[in-house]
PDB file of all heavy atoms in Angstrom:
ATOM      1  N   ALA A 372       7.222  38.238 -25.203  1.00  0.00           N
ATOM      2  CA  ALA A 372       8.639  38.313 -24.834  1.00  0.00           C
ATOM      3  C   ALA A 372       9.465  37.531 -25.864  1.00  0.00           C
ATOM      4  O   ALA A 372      10.221  36.613 -25.529  1.00  0.00           O
ATOM      5  CB  ALA A 372       8.842  37.763 -23.428  1.00  0.00           C
ATOM      6  N   TYR A 373       9.249  37.890 -27.122  1.00  0.00           N
ATOM      7  CA  TYR A 373       9.940  37.241 -28.243  1.00  0.00           C
ATOM      8  C   TYR A 373      10.350  38.320 -29.236  1.00  0.00           C
ATOM      9  O   TYR A 373       9.771  39.416 -29.242  1.00  0.00           O
ATOM     10  CB  TYR A 373       9.005  36.231 -28.946  1.00  0.00           C
ATOM     11  CG  TYR A 373       8.647  35.056 -28.060  1.00  0.00           C
ATOM     12  CD1 TYR A 373       7.532  35.112 -27.226  1.00  0.00           C
ATOM     13  CD2 TYR A 373       9.443  33.923 -28.040  1.00  0.00           C
ATOM     14  CE1 TYR A 373       7.215  34.055 -26.393  1.00  0.00           C
ATOM     15  CE2 TYR A 373       9.132  32.852 -27.203  1.00  0.00           C
ATOM     16  CZ  TYR A 373       8.017  32.928 -26.381  1.00  0.00           C
ATOM     17  OH  TYR A 373       7.712  31.880 -25.554  1.00  0.00           O
ATOM     18  N   SER A 374      11.316  37.975 -30.114  1.00  0.00           N
ATOM     19  CA  SER A 374      11.820  38.970 -31.073  1.00  0.00           C
ATOM     20  C   SER A 374      10.720  39.350 -32.069  1.00  0.00           C
ATOM     21  O   SER A 374       9.787  38.578 -32.303  1.00  0.00           O
ATOM     22  CB  SER A 374      13.010  38.391 -31.830  1.00  0.00           C
ATOM     23  OG  SER A 374      12.558  37.376 -32.698  1.00  0.00           O
ATOM     24  N   MET A 375      10.887  40.521 -32.687  1.00  0.00           N
ATOM     25  CA  MET A 375       9.905  40.973 -33.685  1.00  0.00           C
ATOM     26  C   MET A 375       9.769  39.969 -34.843  1.00  0.00           C
ATOM     27  O   MET A 375       8.645  39.642 -35.229  1.00  0.00           O
ATOM     28  CB  MET A 375      10.260  42.378 -34.201  1.00  0.00           C
ATOM     29  CG  MET A 375       9.779  43.504 -33.317  1.00  0.00           C
ATOM     30  SD  MET A 375       7.971  43.518 -33.080  1.00  0.00           S
ATOM     31  CE  MET A 375       7.449  44.147 -34.658  1.00  0.00           C
ATOM     32  N   PRO A 376      10.881  39.460 -35.416  1.00  0.00           N
ATOM     33  CA  PRO A 376      10.696  38.490 -36.521  1.00  0.00           C
ATOM     34  C   PRO A 376       9.876  37.274 -36.087  1.00  0.00           C
ATOM     35  O   PRO A 376       9.024  36.791 -36.838  1.00  0.00           O
ATOM     36  CB  PRO A 376      12.131  38.086 -36.899  1.00  0.00           C
ATOM     37  CG  PRO A 376      12.979  39.224 -36.431  1.00  0.00           C
ATOM     38  CD  PRO A 376      12.305  39.817 -35.229  1.00  0.00           C
ATOM     39  N   THR A 377      10.072  36.802 -34.855  1.00  0.00           N
ATOM     40  CA  THR A 377       9.296  35.650 -34.365  1.00  0.00           C
ATOM     41  C   THR A 377       7.826  36.027 -34.269  1.00  0.00           C
ATOM     42  O   THR A 377       6.940  35.278 -34.698  1.00  0.00           O
ATOM     43  CB  THR A 377       9.815  35.210 -32.969  1.00  0.00           C
ATOM     44  OG1 THR A 377      11.184  34.885 -33.099  1.00  0.00           O
ATOM     45  CG2 THR A 377       9.041  34.033 -32.412  1.00  0.00           C
ATOM     46  N   LEU A 378       7.571  37.225 -33.726  1.00  0.00           N
ATOM     47  CA  LEU A 378       6.179  37.654 -33.559  1.00  0.00           C
ATOM     48  C   LEU A 378       5.516  37.883 -34.912  1.00  0.00           C
ATOM     49  O   LEU A 378       4.340  37.556 -35.109  1.00  0.00           O
ATOM     50  CB  LEU A 378       6.115  38.918 -32.697  1.00  0.00           C
ATOM     51  CG  LEU A 378       6.537  38.720 -31.229  1.00  0.00           C
ATOM     52  CD1 LEU A 378       6.664  40.059 -30.523  1.00  0.00           C
ATOM     53  CD2 LEU A 378       5.534  37.828 -30.488  1.00  0.00           C
ATOM     54  N   GLU A 379       6.291  38.441 -35.865  1.00  0.00           N
ATOM     55  CA  GLU A 379       5.722  38.687 -37.199  1.00  0.00           C
ATOM     56  C   GLU A 379       5.275  37.375 -37.839  1.00  0.00           C
ATOM     57  O   GLU A 379       4.164  37.253 -38.353  1.00  0.00           O
ATOM     58  CB  GLU A 379       6.760  39.382 -38.096  1.00  0.00           C
ATOM     59  CG  GLU A 379       6.800  40.884 -37.841  1.00  0.00           C
ATOM     60  CD  GLU A 379       8.080  41.542 -38.349  1.00  0.00           C
ATOM     61  OE1 GLU A 379       8.898  40.858 -39.006  1.00  0.00           O
ATOM     62  OE2 GLU A 379       8.260  42.730 -38.059  1.00  0.00           O
ATOM     63  N   GLN A 380       6.154  36.387 -37.730  1.00  0.00           N
ATOM     64  CA  GLN A 380       5.828  35.085 -38.332  1.00  0.00           C
ATOM     65  C   GLN A 380       4.635  34.441 -37.611  1.00  0.00           C
ATOM     66  O   GLN A 380       3.737  33.893 -38.247  1.00  0.00           O
ATOM     67  CB  GLN A 380       7.058  34.183 -38.236  1.00  0.00           C
ATOM     68  CG  GLN A 380       7.109  33.162 -39.352  1.00  0.00           C
ATOM     69  CD  GLN A 380       8.184  32.111 -39.083  1.00  0.00           C
ATOM     70  OE1 GLN A 380       9.030  32.273 -38.196  1.00  0.00           O
ATOM     71  NE2 GLN A 380       8.141  31.033 -39.838  1.00  0.00           N
ATOM     72  N   ALA A 381       4.635  34.557 -36.295  1.00  0.00           N
ATOM     73  CA  ALA A 381       3.555  33.942 -35.510  1.00  0.00           C
ATOM     74  C   ALA A 381       2.212  34.593 -35.838  1.00  0.00           C
ATOM     75  O   ALA A 381       1.201  33.903 -36.014  1.00  0.00           O
ATOM     76  CB  ALA A 381       3.858  34.069 -34.022  1.00  0.00           C
ATOM     77  N   MET A 382       2.203  35.933 -35.946  1.00  0.00           N
ATOM     78  CA  MET A 382       0.937  36.626 -36.223  1.00  0.00           C
ATOM     79  C   MET A 382       0.447  36.317 -37.638  1.00  0.00           C
ATOM     80  O   MET A 382      -0.745  36.242 -37.894  1.00  0.00           O
ATOM     81  CB  MET A 382       1.098  38.140 -36.018  1.00  0.00           C
ATOM     82  CG  MET A 382       1.211  38.555 -34.560  1.00  0.00           C
ATOM     83  SD  MET A 382      -0.225  38.049 -33.557  1.00  0.00           S
ATOM     84  CE  MET A 382       0.471  36.736 -32.583  1.00  0.00           C
ATOM     85  N   GLU A 383       1.396  36.135 -38.555  1.00  0.00           N
ATOM     86  CA  GLU A 383       0.996  35.784 -39.915  1.00  0.00           C
ATOM     87  C   GLU A 383       0.328  34.401 -39.918  1.00  0.00           C
ATOM     88  O   GLU A 383      -0.747  34.220 -40.494  1.00  0.00           O
ATOM     89  CB  GLU A 383       2.219  35.788 -40.831  1.00  0.00           C
ATOM     90  CG  GLU A 383       1.832  35.765 -42.289  1.00  0.00           C
ATOM     91  CD  GLU A 383       3.040  35.910 -43.183  1.00  0.00           C
ATOM     92  OE1 GLU A 383       3.904  36.744 -42.869  1.00  0.00           O
ATOM     93  OE2 GLU A 383       3.097  35.157 -44.179  1.00  0.00           O
ATOM     94  N   ARG A 384       0.958  33.462 -39.225  1.00  0.00           N
ATOM     95  CA  ARG A 384       0.385  32.112 -39.149  1.00  0.00           C
ATOM     96  C   ARG A 384      -0.989  32.135 -38.482  1.00  0.00           C
ATOM     97  O   ARG A 384      -1.931  31.504 -38.957  1.00  0.00           O
ATOM     98  CB  ARG A 384       1.287  31.194 -38.320  1.00  0.00           C
ATOM     99  CG  ARG A 384       2.532  30.750 -39.036  1.00  0.00           C
ATOM    100  CD  ARG A 384       3.221  29.695 -38.182  1.00  0.00           C
ATOM    101  NE  ARG A 384       4.514  29.330 -38.736  1.00  0.00           N
ATOM    102  CZ  ARG A 384       5.278  28.357 -38.247  1.00  0.00           C
ATOM    103  NH1 ARG A 384       4.893  27.673 -37.188  1.00  0.00           N
ATOM    104  NH2 ARG A 384       6.429  28.073 -38.784  1.00  0.00           N
ATOM    105  N   MET A 385      -1.068  32.883 -37.382  1.00  0.00           N
ATOM    106  CA  MET A 385      -2.331  32.901 -36.637  1.00  0.00           C
ATOM    107  C   MET A 385      -3.437  33.552 -37.474  1.00  0.00           C
ATOM    108  O   MET A 385      -4.572  33.071 -37.506  1.00  0.00           O
ATOM    109  CB  MET A 385      -2.121  33.645 -35.315  1.00  0.00           C
ATOM    110  CG  MET A 385      -3.316  33.581 -34.411  1.00  0.00           C
ATOM    111  SD  MET A 385      -2.917  34.209 -32.756  1.00  0.00           S
ATOM    112  CE  MET A 385      -4.580  34.408 -32.118  1.00  0.00           C
ATOM    113  N   GLY A 386      -3.070  34.636 -38.186  1.00  0.00           N
ATOM    114  CA  GLY A 386      -4.039  35.344 -39.029  1.00  0.00           C
ATOM    115  C   GLY A 386      -4.589  34.425 -40.114  1.00  0.00           C
ATOM    116  O   GLY A 386      -5.805  34.367 -40.358  1.00  0.00           O
TER     117      GLY A 386
END
Side-chain angles (χ1 to χ4, degrees):
Y373 294 89
S374 70
M375 277 301 285
T377 301
L378 293 171
E379 278 161 6
Q380 209 191 347
M382 287 302 108
E383 194 174 318
R384 285 188 187 185
M385 187 170 166

